[in-house]
Amino acid sequence: MLSSLLLGATGFFVSSVAFYFTHRVVFHSHRSSIAHRIIFNKYNPLASLARWGRGIHLNHHREHIQSKRRGELEELNMFFPFKVKLFVTAVMTLVFIASAPFAIGMMLFFPFYSYRHTSVHRIWNSGKALKPWMLHHLYHHEKDPTVNHSGTIPFIDKVFGTNKKPPEEWINKNYPNPASSSS
């Protein structure tokens, strides 16, 4: 039982790290970086998938900024094409065959992250208090896209040295609700 829980927690952590590196390296790498040149190289069979994902992600950033300027909620039109779903299903099937608890831990990351991510983009202009992990994500969107790549899990950014706590001045200017920096 304990080993299954540890395998599940490890699977969750591995998914968190995989998301972090996809977000940091594929979605936010600089054109001059070695990683960018390798990932987007015309000889890389996954380059078109990387370009597609990067485009969707950059639109997500733009949509957040535009929605904030208009004072409206975002659409959050994030979808995955059939080929991506097929690829993920195949990988998860192989992982499940190797270790069901590990695969379940990996799969649990995605609804957890989706819930938190959607919450950030639905609550920021509601007047409700924002939790520190929400401000962590919003700072990445609005101020500095070179930090806070874990999305809504600041611990992962702390592990890889890309965590930046939003300064109080920025929080007070952008989210003046006095409760926004609590809890």
Side-chain angles (χ1 to χ4, degrees):
M1 175 69 175
L2 181 60
S3 64
S4 293
L5 287 173
L6 287 173
L7 279 170
T10 303
F12 188 93
F13 181 75
V14 166
S15 287
S16 299
V17 170
F19 175 85
Y20 169 87
F21 279 106
T22 300
H23 188 198
R24 181 177 180 187
V25 178
V26 178
F27 299 161
H28 286 286
S29 62
H30 295 282
R31 290 186 179 272
S32 60
S33 72
I34 293 170
H36 189 280
R37 289 195 302 257
I38 292 169
I39 293 165
F40 296 98
N41 185 300
K42 65 181 179 181
Y43 299 110
N44 179 352
L46 298 175
S48 60
L49 181 61
R51 277 191 294 281
W52 171 83
R54 186 178 176 109
I56 294 287
H57 185 73
L58 294 176
N59 282 338
H60 173 61
H61 272 257
R62 276 190 290 274
E63 184 176 302
H64 174 75
I65 298 300
Q66 291 168 354
S67 295
K68 185 171 183 186
R69 286 184 185 138
R70 292 188 307 260
E72 300 171 352
L73 286 175
E74 299 164 61
E75 287 295 317
L76 290 181
N77 290 327
M78 301 185 77
F79 65 93
F80 295 98
F82 179 73
K83 288 180 183 178
V84 173
K85 291 176 187 173
L86 189 62
F87 175 74
V88 169
T89 301
V91 169
M92 291 309 299
T93 300
L94 292 174
V95 171
F96 192 84
I97 291 168
S99 172
F102 187 83
I104 291 168
M106 288 182 76
M107 288 186 284
L108 287 176
F109 167 77
F110 296 101
F112 171 82
Y113 181 82
S114 294
Y115 170 77
R116 286 179 72 141
H117 185 251
T118 301
S119 295
V120 171
H121 289 282
R122 292 291 184 217
I123 291 176
W124 67 264
N125 72 346
S126 69
K128 293 181 181 177
L130 297 175
K131 295 181 178 2
W133 58 266
M134 293 175 165
L135 293 166
H136 175 87
H137 183 68
L138 292 168
Y139 190 75
H140 167 78
H141 267 279
E142 298 172 17
K143 183 67 176 168
D144 190 355
T146 66
V147 298
N148 301 349
H149 292 106
S150 68
T152 64
I153 308 172
F155 168 76
I156 300 295
D157 280 297
K158 289 176 185 173
V159 169
F160 294 108
T162 53
N163 183 60
K164 182 163 185 188
K165 185 177 182 209
E168 285 298 319
E169 312 83 64
W170 180 84
I171 295 169
N172 294 333
K173 178 182 175 193
N174 291 281
Y175 300 98
N177 180 346
S180 66
S181 59
S182 65
S183 63

